[in-house]
C-alpha cells in the first residue's frame, strides 16, 4: 500500500500508510489528517485514490498546494513526489516503494494488467475514431503516442484533410475537455490565456480584479492554423507547453493534467502567415504529416459524408486512465542497447559531430538537440504500451524517428537545390546508422 513520509512540519519523521481511498488534510479538527500548522488552511488539500492511482487535489487553500515546488490544482502522484501544504511537506511512495527509492520499474500485477488491457483499448479507440475518420491510422497512432508520452504534436496537411475533426474525435474518445482556438492575424495572447477584468465586489462595494480563464484551461487544446497568427501570440503557448502553467500579470496558474496542445498548419499557404520559430517547433514532440487518403478510403469518405446521419463515437478511456497510462509509460524499461542507438542516431544528424555520415555533412546545416533523443525514447515507450508490450526495441525507435526528427533537422542550400527534404535525410540516416555492436559496450568498460 502507498505511504507518505513527512519531511517538515509537526509530523516530521513519521510515515503513514494510505489504507483508505480519500484523505482530507488541513488545520481543521476532525479531518483525516489534521496538522497543527498555522500556515495550513482549514481544509487545505486531499489525497484521492482514482482508478488505482493516487491524486493530489487542492481544496481552495489560501496559499496553495505545491507538488515538486510547483503550485497545482490537481495532479497524479508518482513515487518520490514532494508535496508541500503550508509548513508541512511529505514525500509520496507508491505501493511497495521503499523510502528514498527511485520510481519502481514496471512490475506490479496491476500495471502489467493495464498494459495488457491497453492492447484491447487501442483497438477500441481505432474503431470509435473510425466511425468519424476514415483511414489515417498512422496519424491516429502518432497522436495517441504523443498523448501517452505527455507531449504535443503539430499536424501539417492540406485543407480538407479532417485535421480538426480528427483532434475533436480523439478528445471525445479519450473523454478529455476539448477547446479549439482559431488562430488569426488579430488574435492576442489574452484571447488564449485569459485576462484580468475589473469588477465591483457585490459584498464590499470595492473594485477588484478577477481573472477570466481563457480556452487554454482544458485538457486538449487545438491550435487551428497556428502559423496564421503573429509570433507574439504563438509564444503565448510556450509556457503552457513546457511548464503546464500560464502567467497572467503577477500570478501563475497551473493547468489541469493531462494537458496537450495539438496544432494544425497548412503547408502551402504562404501569404499572411508567420512560420513557427525553430525554438517553438522543438517544443512539439511530433511533426505529423496528414496525407491524401487512399482511393478506396476516399470512396468511403464520399459515401459517408454525403449520406444520412453519422455514428457517434463513444468514450473508451477517462482522464484518470490517461494519467495512469502516462505514469506507466515512464516506468517501461529501456536497455542500454536502445539508449546507445538513440544517441548514435541523434548524433548522426549533427554535421559537426565526429563520425557524422556524409549525407549529414553535405546536406544538413543544423542537427537535432538532446530533446530529440528524449522524445524518441518516450515515443518508443508509448508505442510499446499501445501494443500491450513492456519492452522497447530499436525497431520502435526507427518507427518514431520520422515524426520526431523531421522538424529538428535544418537543411542547407545543397539539399534544397537537389530537392532533399529533412524527411528524406532521416530515412537515409535510418539506413546508414547501425545498431551498436559488442565493441560499443567493450569501449564503455
Amino acid at each position: 500500500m502507498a505511504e507518505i513520509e513527512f519531511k517538515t512540519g509537526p509530523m516530521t519523521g513519521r510515515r503513514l500508510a494510505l489504507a483508505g481511498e480519500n484523505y482530507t488534510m488541513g488545520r481543521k479538527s476532525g479531518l483525516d489528517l489534521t496538522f497543527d500548522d498555522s500556515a495550513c488552511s482549514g481544509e487545505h488539500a486531499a489525497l484521492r485514490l482514482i482508478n488505482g492511482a493516487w491524486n493530489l487535489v487542492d481544496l481552495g487553500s489560501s496559499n496553495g498546494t505545491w507538488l515538486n515546488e510547483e503550485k497545482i490544482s490537481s495532479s497524479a502522484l508518482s513515487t518520490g513526489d514532494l508535496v508541500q501544504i503550508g509548513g508541512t511537506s511529505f514525500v509520496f511512495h507508491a505501493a511497495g516503494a521503499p523510502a528514498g527509492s527511485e520510481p519502481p520499474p514496471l512490475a506490479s500485477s496491476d500495471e502489467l494488467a493495464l498494459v495488457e488491457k491497453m492492447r484491447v483499448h487501442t483497438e477500441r479507440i481505432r474503431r470509435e475514431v473510425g466511425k468519424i475518420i476514415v483511414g489515417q491510422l498512422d496519424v491516429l497512432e502518432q497522436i495517441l503516442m504523443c498523448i501517452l508520452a505527455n507531449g504535443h504534436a503539430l499536424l501539417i496537411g492540406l485543407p480538407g484533410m479532417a485535421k480538426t475533426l480528427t483532434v475533436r474525435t480523439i478528445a471525445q474518445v479519450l473523454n478529455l475537455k476539448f477547446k479549439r482556438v482559431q488562430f488569426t492575424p488579430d488574435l492576442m495572447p489574452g484571447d488564449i490565456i485569459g485576462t484580468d477584468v475589473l469588477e465591483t465586489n457585490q459584498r464590499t462595494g470595492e473594485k477588484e480584479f478577477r481573472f477570466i480563464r481563457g480556452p487554454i484551461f482544458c485538457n486538449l487544446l487545438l491550435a487551428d492554423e497556428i502559423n496564421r497568427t503573429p509570433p507574439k501570440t504563438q509564444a503565448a503557448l510556450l509556457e503552457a507547453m513546457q511548464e503546464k502553467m500560464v502567467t497572467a500579470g503577477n500570478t501563475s496558474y497551473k493547468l489541469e493534467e493531462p494537458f496537450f496542445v495539438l496544432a494544425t498548419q497548412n503547408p502551402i499557404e504562404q501569404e499572411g502567415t508567420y512560420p513557427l520559430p525553430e525554438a517553438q517547433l522543438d517544443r512539439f514532440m511530433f511533426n505529423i504529416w496528414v496525407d491524401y487518403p487512399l482511393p478506396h478510403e476516399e470512396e468511403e469518405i464520399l459515401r459517408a459524408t454525403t449520406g444520412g446521419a453519422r455514428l457517434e463515437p463513444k468514450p473508451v478511456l477517462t482522464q484518470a486512465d490517461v494519467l495512469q497510462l502516462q505514469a506507466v509509460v515512464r516506468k517501461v524499461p529501456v536497455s542500454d542497447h536502445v539508449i546507445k542507438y538513440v544517441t548514435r542516431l541523434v548524433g548522426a544528424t549533427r554535421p559537426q559531430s565526429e563520425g557524422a555520415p556524409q549525407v549529414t555533412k553535405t546536406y544538413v546545416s543544423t542537427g537535432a538537440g538532446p530533446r530529440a533523443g528524449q522524445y524518441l525514447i518516450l515515443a518508443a515507450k508509448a508505442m510499446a504500451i499501445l501494443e500491450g508490450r513492456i519492452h522497447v526495441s530499436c525497431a520502435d525507435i526507427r518507427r518514431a524517428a520520422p515524426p520526431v526528427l523531421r522538424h529538428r533537422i535544418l537543411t542547407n542550400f545543397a539539399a534544397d537545390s537537389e530537392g532533399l527534404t529533412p524527411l528524406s535525410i532521416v530515412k537515409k540516416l535510418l539506413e546508414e546508422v547501425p545498431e551498436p555492436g559488442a565493441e560499443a559496450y567493450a569501449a564503455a568498460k
Side-chain angles (χ1 to χ4, degrees):
M1 101 183 28
E3 294 182 341
I4 57 177
E5 179 183 9
F6 290 91
K7 296 296 185 181
T8 61
M11 301 178 70
T12 300
R14 291 182 55 184
R15 291 177 64 91
L16 176 68
L18 302 178
E21 296 185 353
N22 186 52
Y23 289 84
T24 303
M25 303 174 288
R27 196 173 69 251
K28 183 179 175 182
S29 61
L31 300 181
D32 301 298
L33 288 174
T34 300
F35 304 137
D36 184 16
D37 182 351
S38 59
C40 281
S41 297
E43 292 188 6
H44 197 113
L47 293 169
R48 293 173 180 166
L49 184 62
I50 304 174
N51 292 336
W54 282 98
N55 288 260
L56 176 66
V57 180
D58 182 76
L59 300 178
S61 61
S62 59
N63 54 3
T65 299
W66 299 78
L67 177 63
N68 298 327
E69 299 185 351
E70 291 187 3
K71 193 174 182 180
I72 60 102
S73 56
S74 66
S75 180
L77 291 174
S78 301
T79 292
D81 281 346
L82 178 66
V83 177
Q84 184 173 355
I85 298 173
T88 299
S89 66
F90 58 83
V91 175
F92 174 82
H93 300 288
S101 68
E102 295 296 322
L106 185 63
S108 74
S109 58
D110 289 343
E111 290 172 341
L112 291 174
L114 180 65
V115 173
E116 180 64 28
K117 193 185 298 182
M118 191 59 208
R119 185 187 305 169
V120 179
H121 285 329
T122 302
E123 290 303 318
R124 287 183 58 200
I125 290 170
R126 289 195 183 106
R127 285 199 303 270
E128 294 301 324
V129 173
K131 293 179 179 178
I132 305 297
I133 304 299
V134 178
Q136 304 292 2
L137 295 181
D138 287 343
V139 173
L140 172 60
E141 180 183 71
Q142 290 173 20
I143 291 176
L144 290 177
M145 287 162 60
C146 267
I147 289 176
L148 292 191
N150 202 9
H152 312 282
L154 179 64
L155 281 71
I156 299 180
L158 297 170
M161 292 296 180
K163 300 184 292 295
T164 301
L165 184 59
T166 299
V167 176
R168 186 186 299 273
T169 304
I170 290 174
Q172 276 184 275
V173 173
L174 299 184
N175 206 19
L176 300 173
K177 297 175 186 175
F178 172 77
K179 293 287 179 66
R180 173 182 178 269
V181 178
Q182 181 65 50
F183 279 57
T184 58
D186 60 347
L187 192 74
M188 297 297 289
D191 298 327
I192 303 171
I193 295 173
T195 186
D196 288 311
V197 176
L198 185 63
E199 292 184 337
T200 301
N201 189 311
Q202 298 297 324
R203 185 170 56 84
T204 64
E206 296 180 352
K207 299 284 187 180
E208 58 183 26
F209 282 101
R210 182 169 68 91
F211 181 67
I212 304 297
R213 296 189 170 200
I216 202 169
F217 288 87
C218 62
N219 298 129
L220 181 54
L221 177 71
L222 173 59
D224 221 353
E225 296 184 296
I226 190 172
N227 60 327
R228 293 193 63 211
T229 200
K232 176 181 179 180
T233 306
Q234 292 175 1
L237 294 175
L238 290 178
E239 183 183 17
M241 293 172 66
Q242 188 68 25
E243 310 296 339
K244 302 298 175 70
M245 64 168 53
V246 296
T247 301
N250 294 323
T251 307
S252 294
Y253 302 89
K254 187 72 176 176
L255 296 172
E256 182 182 1
E257 298 277 6
F259 173 75
F260 316 100
V261 173
L262 298 184
T264 67
Q265 186 172 310
N266 182 349
I268 62 173
E269 186 179 23
Q270 300 297 327
E271 188 174 350
T273 62
Y274 304 84
L276 291 173
E278 281 70 25
Q280 185 159 358
L281 277 173
D282 198 48
R283 294 294 206 286
F284 287 99
M285 177 178 180
F286 273 6
N287 181 320
I288 302 173
W289 178 259
V290 185
D291 211 343
Y292 290 113
L294 298 174
H296 71 276
E297 294 173 343
E298 193 159 2
E299 289 178 9
E300 190 175 342
I301 291 170
L302 297 176
R303 191 178 297 112
T305 56
T306 59
R310 304 181 69 184
L311 297 173
E312 190 70 19
K314 298 177 181 177
V316 175
L317 300 177
T318 64
Q319 284 181 247
D321 291 334
V322 173
L323 288 170
Q324 189 175 7
L325 285 166
Q326 287 178 344
V328 171
V329 164
R330 289 276 177 173
K331 296 179 182 179
V332 172
V334 179
S335 68
D336 289 342
H337 181 75
V338 172
I339 291 177
K340 287 180 184 292
Y341 178 65
V342 170
T343 305
R344 280 189 177 185
L345 184 60
V346 174
T349 68
R350 303 164 184 163
Q352 71 275 20
S353 294
E354 184 179 351
Q358 190 60 44
V359 64
T360 300
K361 294 179 178 178
T362 305
Y363 298 114
V364 176
S365 62
T366 305
R371 189 178 277 141
Q374 295 170 339
Y375 282 156
L376 279 172
I377 291 176
L378 287 173
K381 287 184 174 188
M383 185 183 299
I385 294 297
L386 286 172
E387 295 180 352
R389 294 184 280 112
I390 57 169
H391 64 276
V392 174
S393 68
C394 291
D396 294 323
I397 301 296
R398 287 189 284 270
R399 284 172 64 186
V404 169
L405 295 177
R406 61 155 49 110
H407 59 300
R408 293 184 165 88
I409 294 178
L410 301 182
T411 54
N412 56 23
F413 177 77
D416 297 340
S417 63
E418 295 187 26
L420 284 177
T421 64
L423 180 59
S424 60
I425 291 173
V426 171
K427 290 179 178 178
K428 287 180 179 293
L429 291 177
L430 290 175
E431 294 173 359
E432 293 188 18
V433 177
E435 295 184 23
E439 72 284 350
Y441 301 94
K445 294 177 183 178

